Amino acid sequence: MGVKQVIKNLDAFPRAEDHLLQKTQSGALVSVIGIIIMSTLFIHELSFYLTIHTVHQMSVDLTRGETLPIHINMTFPSLPCNVLSVDAIDMSGKHEVDLDTNIWKLRLNSYGHIIGTEYISDLVEKEHAAHKHGDGKDHHEDSEQKIHLQTFDESTENMIKKVKQALTDGEGCRVYGVLNVQRVAGNFHISVHGLNIHVAQMIFGGSNNVNVSHVIHDLSFGPKYPGLHNPLDETTRILHDTSGTFKYYIKVVPTEYRYISKEVLPTNQFSVTEYYSPLKEFDRIWPAVYFLYDLSPITVTIKEERRSFLHFITRLCAVLGGTFALTGMLDRWMYRFVEALTKPNKSRSGLR
């Protein structure tokens, strides 16, 4: 036996002579179905291979000395911009006056259309000495220790008239921008606490008349990455004939998103728990919207990865080979079934 014959004996795909092959309509039908199935599976596997997937990893957060960016975009439909202030404090009670902060306030009419713009150059930092992380004490309580009998100057009286007119006209305010705070636990809140207590009393006639209804269009702690969903986006809280304080307890999770191009995006994701405290008749606390945040000691790293080419080839061979084998079995079954049906008819015609 020659070498060529030995090699031929290794052939796992022997060819039959053309005159020994029998082509049938059922075989053609099964072949067409098999080609459609294999083409569909090939496209599916190819798209699966080309799709980038993400892998999540966790590690201890070693970041120190960086700032935490807080992106705010909120609407207060029942409070004019003149009375709203943004206050912030960290867990240690330290107040930073010259923060790299850009906050804008847009005046809105009763239909929600913009009618004016106001810029806040830095945070309102007033009467926070006794304020602790997470407490709900009213800033106006400290102001009551000052002189109660005072005369307002002309500018203050004009401001009071202006705000009262804005309340009558149904003015609202949209607050948006970025706060850059220390990377420690703390809180920021939006309220009327920036007003002198006597001015606030003149405007609203009591804390029960301060309506802190709000819509949170966007609240995030850093840039967004693909697939990120911030739980407070498009949150609406509207009060009717009542008032109170909203508190959002936020757990910030430091996150790194690594693109497949090796670019790294440092950001944060968060979870939130909401609490609403209605104002009682004799409460001296003025309503506000608090955001109390704390940082997780764990960092989440999200990596974009592409599936390996060998994995793609393995899956492709499995699905295409399986489909080919299945259609071959189906062809044989259909051929035998058709032959079983036609054979008795041929026997009867032969007897005649």
Side-chain angles (χ1 to χ4, degrees), residues 31-243:
S31 299
V32 172
I33 294 175
I35 291 173
I36 294 175
I37 293 175
M38 286 190 286
S39 300
T40 304
L41 292 177
F42 173 76
I43 294 173
H44 176 269
E45 288 300 322
L46 182 62
S47 63
F48 183 74
Y49 165 69
L50 295 177
T51 301
I52 296 173
H53 71 288
T54 56
V55 177
H56 292 67
Q57 298 176 343
M58 292 186 294
S59 60
V60 177
D61 183 21
L62 302 177
T63 305
R64 293 190 303 172
E66 296 183 3
T67 58
L68 180 67
I70 305 176
H71 300 261
I72 308 171
N73 188 355
M74 297 179 61
T75 295
F76 290 82
S78 301
L79 289 175
C81 290
N82 303 71
V83 300
L84 284 176
S85 64
V86 181
D87 307 326
I89 186 173
D90 62 37
M91 190 174 183
S92 65
K94 182 180 179 181
H95 312 114
E96 301 183 39
V97 179
D98 295 324
L99 292 177
D100 181 18
T101 303
N102 295 292
I103 297 294
W104 291 84
K105 294 194 293 185
L106 302 178
R107 293 175 56 204
L108 306 176
N109 60 19
S110 57
Y111 298 100
H113 299 149
I114 299 173
I115 57 177
T117 305
E118 182 180 345
Y119 176 68
I120 307 176
S121 60
D122 50 32
L123 297 180
V124 177
E125 303 289 344
K126 295 182 179 180
E127 310 298 337
H128 288 293
H131 193 97
K132 297 180 180 179
H133 170 61
D135 68 11
K137 293 183 180 180
D138 182 14
H139 296 200
H140 292 309
E141 292 180 5
D142 294 332
S143 300
E144 288 185 334
Q145 298 176 3
K146 298 179 180 180
I147 301 175
H148 289 271
L149 298 177
Q150 53 180 297
T151 57
F152 299 127
D153 55 24
E154 185 177 352
S155 62
T156 304
E157 291 179 353
N158 291 335
M159 189 272 288
I160 293 174
K161 292 179 181 179
K162 183 179 179 181
V163 173
K164 284 186 174 181
Q165 185 60 45
L167 287 170
T168 303
D169 296 338
E171 268 194 36
C173 185
R174 186 162 187 167
V175 181
Y176 72 96
V178 181
L179 300 176
N180 287 293
V181 297
Q182 293 186 102
R183 201 177 182 83
V184 294
N187 79 77
F188 68 94
H189 51 278
I190 304 175
S191 63
V192 298
H193 293 165
L195 296 175
N196 179 284
I197 184 173
H198 303 290
V199 174
Q201 193 71 31
M202 286 285 293
I203 293 173
F204 296 103
S207 58
N208 288 313
N209 299 320
V210 179
N211 188 340
V212 291
S213 297
H214 58 278
V215 179
I216 304 175
H217 305 287
D218 174 64
L219 180 71
S220 58
F221 292 80
K224 294 185 178 181
Y225 59 84
L228 174 65
H229 171 69
N230 293 319
L232 284 179
D233 287 0
E234 302 305 327
T235 297
T236 302
R237 297 293 180 266
I238 303 298
L239 299 176
H240 299 283
D241 301 323
T242 184
S243 189

